[in-house]
């Protein structure tokens, strides 16, 4: 398996954490957005379809406005 990855954004988070946003194109032709959260040696990776990525972005924008 040789998925094609394109880095879209890298964001430094509080407490020396990092968020990385990538576009991933699978060999099957499926494209998704990959959210990678790094906390020291721990890595959490979530692949999102376009609808879910949009829903998450909208929810985060709304939450940030309320801070």
């Amino acid at each position: 398996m040789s998925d094609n990855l394109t880095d879209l954004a890298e964001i430094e988070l509080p407490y020396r954490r990092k968020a990385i946003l990538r576009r991933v194109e699978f060999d099957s032709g499926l494209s998704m957005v990959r959210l990678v959260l790094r906390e020291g040696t721990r890595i959490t990776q979530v692949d999102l379809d376009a609808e879910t990525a949009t829903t998450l972005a909208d929810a985060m924008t709304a939450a940030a406005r309320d801070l």
Side-chain angles (χ1 to χ4, degrees):
M1 183 163 69
S2 60
D3 304 332
N4 185 17
L5 298 173
T6 304
D7 287 346
L8 301 173
E10 190 169 310
I11 303 163
E12 295 294 328
L13 303 173
Y15 309 110
R16 298 186 325 200
R17 296 176 179 158
K18 186 184 297 188
I20 302 167
L21 197 61
R22 294 183 173 132
R23 178 185 173 119
V24 58
E25 296 177 30
F26 295 96
D27 292 337
S28 67
L30 177 67
S31 293
M32 300 187 96
V33 174
R34 179 169 290 168
L35 174 62
V36 181
L37 299 172
R38 294 183 179 264
E39 304 174 81
T41 59
R42 181 179 174 180
I43 299 172
T44 302
Q45 177 174 287
V46 180
D47 290 343
L48 306 165
D49 62 15
E51 182 180 349
T52 305
T54 300
T55 300
L56 178 61
D58 292 344
M60 291 182 72
T61 299
R65 285 188 185 123
D66 292 339
L67 292 179

